[in-house]
Amino acid sequence: MSSVRSANGPNSRKSTLSDSVSSTFVLSEAMLRRSQRLQSNGYYGSQGEPLISYKETLCRIFKRRRPHPGLDNIDQDTVEYNTDDCDTVDYNNDDFVDYSSDSSRGLFRAIKALGLLVLMLAFCFGLIFSIGGLKMDFSTPFMSEYLMNGHEQVERQVQELQRELMDLRKRIDFLLPVGDRMPNFALEELGAEIVKEQSSASYLSEQAGLKLLGLTLIPAKPPCVSPRVVIQGRAPMVPGACWSFAGSQGHLTIKLPYSIAISHVTLGQISKMVSPSGKVSSAPRMFSVFGKRALDDSGVHLGTFVYDENGDPLQTFRIPDDKVDVIRYITLHVLNNWGNREYSCLYNFRVHGKLA
């Protein structure tokens, strides 16, 4: 037994020694194949086995970066990596999931496609509802009440707009004279004419223009303004742009372009504010209007009116209903003025009505 022990003892020690040497060599070889970076971070045990199993993608080789002034002592492994530093992965571990496999990628793509499809459908339905492409049931009490409230609100807004429009029209009517809101048939541009044979003569002043030893050599007569100015409808009316006749009484006959059923007449003069003298003494005060169908007719008295020197520049007068008649010629007869005994002036005269 002792021989056997002596014979087996050295062999067994040799085999044990050789096993330990081989295991140490294998361990050292395995350790050499491990990444120094992972070893320094404690990813391997004392026997060289990895403590954490995961899949590590291939490492790319980065270009050498310029060292930062404050990082001169950083290990070169933090700047340059090689595929040799990449560790093997334990794919047999149950906790490992390979997300890069074809089946996983196909599943993720299917989920993304389904999500996009749902979003597109939601967008399409929202667009259709927004443009009213789908019919909605308005018979429900909620929708009926909603529509009634909307209709009442719109009706109230329309009524408010109508009231504002009426107020605006009243303001405009207040700003515009009545004569500017009716058609004027005694207008030269429409074809109205002055009948000079049945009108007063124009007033001419005889103030001396040149005197010598108290004798008037050349009388200076101001230019005569034609009576056409009365039917030209000039606006605004300025001092001096009028037709004047001598004295406080005179008449002017106008041929209208059409036969009309007369309803109103308007007499226009300058106001005291624009008059150089601050007065309108030459303006007509009381005047009468006569109408006739033909020039040879005797004429029909349409009314007598009074022009207010303190009123608006344009003053409109209504023809009495019992005297409304169809006329083609009209005569304005001035009975007196506001104090000027030398002459009277007419700036504007208008005739209103409807075509007969």
Side-chain angles (χ1 to χ4, degrees), residues 118-277:
V118 172
L119 290 177
M120 291 178 63
L121 290 175
F123 175 76
C124 292
F125 277 105
L127 183 62
I128 292 174
F129 276 108
S130 63
I131 63 177
L134 295 180
K135 295 183 178 179
M136 300 180 65
D137 187 11
F138 297 103
S139 61
T140 60
F142 173 76
M143 293 303 299
S144 300
E145 183 179 0
Y146 175 77
L147 292 177
M148 290 297 296
N149 294 333
H151 178 71
E152 293 177 356
Q153 184 177 2
V154 171
E155 187 175 359
R156 286 194 300 269
Q157 292 179 355
V158 171
Q159 293 177 357
E160 292 178 359
L161 291 176
Q162 290 178 350
R163 286 194 296 268
E164 292 179 359
L165 181 60
M166 293 299 296
D167 294 339
L168 183 60
R169 286 180 177 177
K170 291 180 180 179
R171 294 179 183 179
I172 294 175
D173 293 343
F174 176 77
L175 295 176
L176 292 177
V178 179
D180 289 337
R181 301 196 303 268
M182 294 186 294
N184 176 23
F185 291 96
L187 190 63
E188 187 178 39
E189 293 182 355
L190 291 179
E193 299 176 359
I194 299 295
V195 182
K196 295 183 179 181
E197 295 80 6
Q198 297 188 9
S199 302
S200 299
S202 300
Y203 171 73
L204 297 177
S205 176
E206 294 184 358
Q207 294 180 356
L210 179 60
K211 292 184 178 182
L212 181 60
L213 301 177
L215 300 176
T216 302
L217 300 179
I218 301 177
K221 296 182 180 180
C224 179
V225 179
S226 172
R228 293 171 49 199
V229 71
V230 180
I231 61 174
Q232 289 177 350
R234 295 185 179 182
M237 295 176 290
V238 294
C242 63
W243 174 67
S244 59
F245 54 89
S248 61
Q249 294 185 359
H251 55 277
L252 180 69
T253 302
I254 303 171
K255 179 184 177 182
L256 303 178
Y258 315 103
S259 297
I260 66 167
I262 187 171
S263 61
H264 299 77
V265 292
T266 298
L267 185 63
Q269 298 291 129
I270 61 172
S271 64
K272 291 183 178 181
M273 292 186 297
V274 299
S275 176
S277 62

Side-chain angles (χ1 to χ4, degrees), residues 298-316:
S298 58
V300 178
H301 180 254
L302 301 176
T304 300
F305 312 97
V306 176
Y307 181 87
D308 185 7
E309 64 173 345
N310 297 317
D312 296 331
L314 285 174
Q315 299 180 21
T316 302

Side-chain angles (χ1 to χ4, degrees), residues 245 247-250 267-269 280-289 303-310 315 317 332-340 343-346:
F245 54 89
S248 61
Q249 294 185 359
L267 185 63
Q269 298 291 129
V280 288
S281 59
S282 63
R285 181 176 181 178
M286 185 177 294
F287 64 96
S288 298
V289 179
T304 300
F305 312 97
V306 176
Y307 181 87
D308 185 7
E309 64 173 345
N310 297 317
Q315 299 180 21
F317 306 92
L332 170 64
H333 185 72
V334 178
L335 302 177
N336 52 35
N337 59 23
W338 284 96
N340 194 325
Y343 61 91
S344 299
C345 291
L346 289 177

Side-chain angles (χ1 to χ4, degrees), residues 24-35:
T24 303
F25 177 76
V26 171
L27 179 61
S28 62
E29 185 179 1
M31 292 297 290
L32 290 176
R33 287 187 288 118
R34 301 301 180 183
S35 172

Side-chain angles (χ1 to χ4, degrees), residues 64-79:
R64 185 179 301 275
R65 300 178 181 176
R66 294 182 179 180
H68 195 274
L71 302 177
D72 295 337
N73 297 328
I74 297 180
D75 189 6
Q76 192 67 24
D77 290 339
T78 61
V79 179

